[in-house]
Amino acid sequence: MAATSTCATPIKGTHMRIIELDACGVPVTGAAGMVGVSSGFVQVEMEPDYEDGEEFFERTASGQPCVNQKDDPTLKRMGLTVQMCEVNVSLISYIISARELTTGTPATGTGFAVAEGNPTNRFSLEVWQEVAGSGACDASGNQRYIYHAWPNVGATQIGSYTIENGRSTFEFTSETRGAGATWDTLVGDDYLPAGEAVDTDEHWVWNVTTTAPPTVACDPTTLAA
């Protein structure tokens, strides 16, 4: 345990970044990969999925408790529900394992086509929040952020989509796995304390940082090796 602690009050959500992973959860670098940064999300909701601990209870022949014990619950994964008000075609088509529809040279994504079958694409999801109130800046006057990272996300399902006299929200749900072996060195290092690593059984990272979020852009970029 640290000798001193940091206190911060998270508020709002400012940036979201999606980075393409391979089937083993390793970030894909260079032209084969994709990085997308958006501010067009409504909310990111996380719901932990626990397996209840096994309970052991037995009475003696006289009816008195003989064994009364329950094992601790086990965290299996995180369930994520994301709602987008802005649909970035390249970003969303990758997330939901759809085929991107393109036109022109160089290719411009204009839509996507969704086929039956299993979702196969995996990605890491990072979200930045502001720090509220008097703790918004550190002692040196640097803006502070709450950095969230789910290093290995997939099994994505499309949520309900409503067309009506109003704004349509694109929703998807996903599940986490433990981080890929090189996720922290390729992705998270800028937003983690110096010398810290992310273990391969860790599903969620939460950290206070003064490193600014990446720049929002409609066009996808790539990840440097």
Side-chain angles (χ1 to χ4, degrees):
M1 180 180 294
T4 60
S5 185
T6 300
C7 294
T9 303
I11 189 171
K12 302 181 180 180
T14 62
H15 294 66
M16 169 193 291
R17 181 164 70 173
I18 299 291
I19 296 179
E20 181 176 347
L21 307 178
D22 67 15
C24 297
V26 175
V28 180
T29 59
M34 184 205 68
V35 178
V37 183
S38 174
S39 61
F41 59 101
V42 178
Q43 67 174 12
V44 177
E45 180 182 0
M46 184 184 74
E47 185 70 30
D49 184 1
Y50 285 91
E51 179 77 19
D52 288 339
E54 187 172 356
E55 187 170 2
F56 303 89
F57 186 84
E58 187 72 35
R59 295 183 184 273
T60 65
S62 66
Q64 297 301 308
C66 179
V67 177
N68 182 11
Q69 179 174 308
K70 185 177 181 180
D71 292 343
D72 292 333
T74 301
L75 178 62
K76 298 187 292 186
R77 63 189 63 87
M78 304 292 187
L80 301 173
T81 301
V82 179
Q83 293 182 345
M84 307 289 296
C85 62
E86 175 191 75
V87 178
N88 182 313
V89 168
S90 296
L91 202 63
I92 292 296
S93 61
Y94 179 79
I95 289 171
I96 64 174
S97 298
R99 179 173 62 87
E100 185 175 8
L101 305 179
T102 63
T103 185
T105 304
T108 297
T110 61
F112 48 81
V114 180
E116 62 188 44
N118 304 110
T120 56
N121 290 348
R122 304 202 65 80
F123 55 93
S124 72
L125 171 63
E126 299 159 281
V127 173
W128 286 260
Q129 291 185 280
E130 297 175 351
V131 174
S134 60
C137 297
D138 67 9
S140 300
N142 299 307
Q143 176 70 49
R144 299 163 80 211
Y145 302 91
I146 306 297
Y147 172 69
H148 301 263
W150 296 271
N152 191 352
V153 180
T156 301
Q157 301 181 53
I158 304 168
S160 60
Y161 186 84
T162 303
I163 301 171
E164 59 182 351
N165 182 25
R167 177 181 57 82
S168 294
T169 300
F170 192 97
E171 180 180 276
F172 63 89
T173 61
S174 301
E175 297 178 350
T176 64
R177 291 181 185 168
T182 59
W183 178 87
D184 47 10
T185 57
L186 289 171
V187 178
D189 263 0
D190 289 342
Y191 302 97
L192 299 174
E196 284 286 357
V198 177
D199 295 335
T200 55
D201 62 349
E202 293 176 331
H203 289 231
W204 178 34
V205 177
W206 191 105
N207 190 50
V208 180
T209 180
T210 57
T211 304
T215 303
V216 171
C218 184
D219 294 340
T221 59
T222 57
L223 181 67

